[in-house]
Amino acid sequence: MATTDKASTRDRLLDAAADLVYHEGVSVGIEALCRSAGVSKRSMYQLFESKDEVIAASLERRIPLYEKQLAPDPEDAGTPRERILGIFERMEAASVRPEYRGCLFLAALVELKDPGHPASVVAGGAKDRMKEVFRVQAELGGARDPEFLARQLMLVFDGASARAGAGIETLEGLTTTTVTALLDAGGVK
């Protein structure tokens, strides 16, 4: 029974941290985090050494969902070009939802500004894996310079995510048109 309680306390903390960080940022206070999770600070510190560790663990836990929502399905029979465009189509669709605040991982990196922070390490790893998805698809599609194209695609992805998440820009057709031009210029079939 105690193991189940401990696991549910941990799950509640991680879920609350991910939600609060996404909507309010990484500067969310420990009191707000514990209140949202319905746990005491004592319980939090029994599971984690610091709020930083809670945030890093909550980000780590969100990576599979992030990758599932955005990355192309390995079983997808589409062309590499279609897979890349599909990522941006899914981002455009997500960006119109009222709860959309952009990319959780990018927001954490920008807000923390410390590449050594535990949450920055996790967020940076998630962004690196996304870039690798672009690089692999670009290579499969015959890009002249898959690494450079992957960097360009990340720039569009992160820039669009940040602008839409801040409510500055709507993405409908914007990213897919931009990415189509990059794919054409990069020689991706």
Side-chain angles (χ1 to χ4, degrees), residues 61-185:
R61 189 171 172 191
R62 295 291 180 175
I63 290 173
L65 177 62
Y66 172 72
E67 291 176 344
K68 182 179 178 185
Q69 289 175 332
L70 296 172
D73 184 339
E75 303 298 314
D76 185 359
T79 66
R81 181 186 189 91
E82 291 167 338
R83 289 184 206 125
I84 291 170
L85 284 168
I87 293 170
F88 288 92
E89 289 165 359
R90 288 186 290 280
M91 183 175 70
E92 286 181 6
S95 74
V96 298
R97 295 185 194 123
E99 68 275 8
Y100 184 77
R101 299 289 181 269
C103 175
L104 171 66
F105 302 102
L106 177 65
L109 287 166
V110 169
E111 190 175 347
L112 289 167
K113 295 176 182 45
D114 173 6
H117 188 285
S120 291
V121 172
V122 172
K127 299 309 287 184
D128 288 345
R129 285 193 292 283
M130 190 74 211
K131 185 176 88 170
E132 181 62 9
V133 166
F134 286 141
R135 190 200 63 73
V136 166
Q137 293 305 312
E139 187 175 318
L140 291 171
R144 286 183 282 284
D145 188 344
E147 178 64 27
F148 187 69
L149 181 57
R151 290 176 56 215
Q152 291 175 309
L153 294 170
M154 283 304 298
L155 189 64
V156 173
F157 185 89
D158 286 344
S161 173
R163 292 182 61 80
I168 297 169
E169 189 72 67
T170 57
L171 300 182
E172 187 176 3
L174 181 62
T175 61
T176 53
T177 302
T178 304
V179 169
T180 297
L182 285 173
L183 296 174
D184 289 346

Side-chain angles (χ1 to χ4, degrees), residues 11-26 28 33 36-37 58-59 62 99 101 104:
D11 290 343
R12 288 195 322 263
L13 273 166
L14 295 178
D15 289 342
D19 186 57
L20 288 170
V21 166
Y22 187 66
H23 290 96
E24 298 177 26
V26 294
V28 66
L33 171 60
S36 180
S58 74
L59 291 176
R62 295 291 180 175
E99 68 275 8
R101 299 289 181 269
L104 171 66

